[in-house]
Amino acid sequence: MRQRHPATASSEHLVIVGNGMAGHRLVEALLARPERPARITVIGAETAPAYNRILLSPLLAGEMEREALTLRDAEWYAKQGIELVLGERVETIERSARRLTTDAGRELDYDRLVLVTGSHPARPPVLGLELPGVHVFRDLHDADALARAAEQGSNAVVIGGGLLGLEAAEGLRKRGMQVSLLQRDDRLMNRQLDLTAARLLENELRGRGLDIHTDAQLERLEADANGLVCAAHLAGGTRLAADCVVVAIGIVPHTALARTAGLEVNRGVVVDEWLTTSDPAIHALGECCEHRGNLYGLVEPIWRQVEVVAERLCRPNAEGVPGYVEKPTATKLKVSGVSLYAFGPTEAEPGGHEVLSYRDPQQGDYRRLLLRDGRLEGAVLYGDTASGPWYFEQALAGRDLTACRPALLLGAADAQLLLDDALNESPQRPAKEAA
């Protein structure tokens, strides 16, 4: 039996295109509000209901069952009175008629529309990339295909040394494959890590058996007599055997539907502070959107976008509804069992930053802090990341940490004690409070 909607719910028909993590998060946010639209339809191109893509890596490694990834099953949507359409892709949007059509011929009218179409894997311009045996690692279908490839072959080449490439490489290694990983930069995870942390990570992964090539330039992929990929050729003459190849070099926003509909598109679907597109009846959020030139791939800013859109959909005419504002974000990751935490610049500006660093080779811990005029601007933590949120909090507050500089690398507790002592001894505080 479907649940009754509150009497205050809007009578509008809202259609959400995209049943990924962001689309599902929006559904959850709307259901928490009494003014939500009474009729909500969710359309997903995949045949499975929304699932946690972050857990694709342990799924590939054989460390997790498929069912553990599901966020909500189809029955849950039905109980909430939400129409869930799976396995259909929206092909056209008639904005003047406020109607969309799927590849199955389904037509739906809408009052408001939200595009949460996500992204697709970027593909480098490399000869042979179209060969059978070349994969991406983005969804359940990809994870299944790679698991089958691991059963049938022994050598894999992974292109890309970011988070997704590392997780794909580790997953295939745990499946028993010999894996070569190619990174065109001089270090792994070059956007998050400085050179020291990247080398620590590289050494750890090499010790597990991964064959890592940094500064690697992929020239072409080779096919065998049956037309299947069999090797990767690097500049300089290196040939790497490959029964399968995984491309994991980044993502590109899904904008084809928005372009066809005539919406403003740059690199992503262009939106304003309320995540509204050039059509006031259509919003876009997540990996498919572009706000003030920024694209998105991290959970934190996308979750904030969800709250903005949910509030706008439930109170479209309310004054003072806050818009989306860019905020600094910290990256907290667990890469193949190694904890990392980073924010701010990865490299020190010569003459601009004071660099504090600490390394404990025995424990596998490393910290590097970048300060300017006593204020923290960037940090990289490898191994023990417990103090990461405290460092980030100080950076956001722009707090002068000169008083606790001697203890900064020891961690949050010691540094905070020195800060508190300095505050208690400050002559500018009222006498009663200082006492």
Side-chain angles (χ1 to χ4, degrees):
M1 179 181 294
R2 292 188 176 185
Q3 295 182 352
R4 291 181 178 272
H5 296 295
T8 55
S10 164
S11 61
E12 286 189 334
H13 181 203
L14 169 68
V15 177
I16 300 172
V17 181
N19 188 223
M21 291 176 65
H24 177 73
R25 181 85 171 197
L26 177 59
V27 170
E28 297 266 16
L30 290 170
L31 291 177
R33 290 167 165 79
E35 312 92 341
R36 65 181 182 266
R39 185 184 175 197
I40 301 175
T41 300
V42 179
I43 304 177
E46 293 187 64
T47 57
Y51 57 89
N52 189 340
R53 293 182 191 276
I54 296 172
L55 299 179
L56 283 173
S57 299
L59 177 67
L60 173 60
E63 300 170 344
M64 183 170 288
E65 296 298 322
R66 160 67 186 89
E67 292 72 21
L69 276 67
T70 302
L71 297 172
R72 298 284 189 176
D73 59 22
E75 183 180 355
W76 177 86
Y77 286 85
K79 287 181 177 179
Q80 308 305 318
I82 296 173
E83 180 183 8
L84 179 63
V85 179
L86 296 176
E88 296 185 26
R89 188 179 301 277
V90 177
E91 287 196 330
T92 61
I93 299 172
E94 299 176 59
R95 290 166 47 202
S96 58
R98 295 197 180 184
R99 180 181 299 116
L100 58 82
T101 305
T102 73
D103 56 0
R106 184 190 303 265
E107 291 188 351
L108 281 173
D109 294 327
Y110 66 86
D111 295 296
R112 285 185 171 273
L113 182 66
V114 182
L115 302 179
V116 203
T117 51
S119 61
H120 58 271
R123 299 176 72 88
V126 173
L127 184 65
L129 210 64
E130 74 292 342
L131 291 172
V134 178
H135 304 265
V136 293
F137 185 37
R138 188 68 180 156
D139 57 28
L140 286 171
H141 173 78
D142 300 329
D144 289 341
L146 287 173
R148 290 194 300 271
E151 294 174 354
Q152 299 167 1
S154 57
N155 295 295
V157 170
V158 176
I159 306 169
L163 175 63
L164 195 61
L166 291 174
E167 295 291 11
E170 266 290 270
L172 291 173
R173 183 191 68 80
K174 289 177 180 177
R175 289 272 182 177
M177 300 194 81
Q178 297 294 317
V179 183
S180 296
L181 185 138
L182 311 181
Q183 168 69 324
R184 65 180 179 180
D185 204 90
D186 66 344
R187 73 191 74 169
L188 301 176
M189 298 190 69
N190 56 292
R191 294 185 178 181
Q192 292 89 10
L193 303 181
D194 68 346
L195 189 58
T196 300
R199 290 289 183 263
L200 288 171
L201 179 60
E202 180 178 334
N203 290 337
E204 168 68 24
L205 296 178
R206 284 185 184 277
R208 299 181 189 181
L210 285 183
D211 176 31
I212 297 175
H213 300 256
T214 55
D215 287 315
Q217 184 65 43
L218 178 63
E219 288 193 334
R220 65 183 178 90
L221 300 179
E222 177 188 341
D224 63 14
N226 296 316
L228 305 176
V229 69
C230 68
H233 291 260
L234 309 184
T238 300
R239 179 184 183 276
L240 301 171
D243 299 303
C244 80
V245 172
V246 184
V247 180
I249 62 170
I251 57 176
V252 179
H254 264 310
T255 59
L257 178 61
R259 288 183 187 277
T260 302
L263 298 175
E264 183 182 356
V265 175
N266 189 20
R267 292 185 298 160
V269 184
V270 177
V271 296
D272 65 11
E273 286 81 0
W274 294 278
L275 288 305
T276 306
T277 68
S278 52
D279 183 327
I282 303 177
H283 297 269
L285 66 91
E287 293 175 346
C288 71
C289 82
E290 177 180 337
H291 175 255
R292 296 190 174 181
N294 295 307
L295 300 177
Y296 305 92
L298 297 176
V299 164
E300 184 180 335
I302 294 175
W303 277 192
R304 288 192 282 109
Q305 290 177 0
V306 164
E307 292 302 314
V308 170
V309 173
E311 192 70 6
R312 194 68 172 178
L313 289 171
C314 293
R315 298 196 299 152
N317 300 316
E319 294 184 3
V321 174
Y324 174 76
V325 178
E326 296 290 349
K327 295 181 180 179
T329 58
T331 302
K332 182 179 182 180
L333 302 168
K334 186 174 285 291
V335 181
S336 306
V338 178
S339 295
L340 305 170
Y341 192 100
F343 63 85
T346 57
E347 297 297 337
E349 295 179 6
H353 284 125
E354 178 187 9
V355 181
L356 302 182
S357 63
Y358 162 85
R359 182 177 175 184
D360 183 345
Q362 201 166 26
Q363 296 296 323
D365 294 333
Y366 168 72
R367 298 174 202 136
R368 187 222 54 190
L369 308 177
L370 298 183
L371 294 97
R372 189 192 302 270
D373 299 326
R375 290 168 172 79
L376 189 59
E377 292 191 350
V380 172
L381 283 72
Y382 177 100
D384 180 3
T385 61
S387 295
W390 185 86
Y391 289 134
F392 189 51
E393 179 185 342
Q394 309 313 306
L396 288 179
R399 192 163 289 126
D400 188 343
L401 301 176
T402 303
C404 65
R405 184 188 177 286
L408 267 180
L409 288 173
L410 299 179
D414 293 287
Q416 188 64 56
L417 281 174
L418 285 184
L419 270 183
D420 292 343
D421 288 344
L423 189 61
N424 288 331
E425 294 172 4
S426 172
Q428 298 179 357
R429 301 188 75 206
K432 182 179 179 181
E433 192 175 352

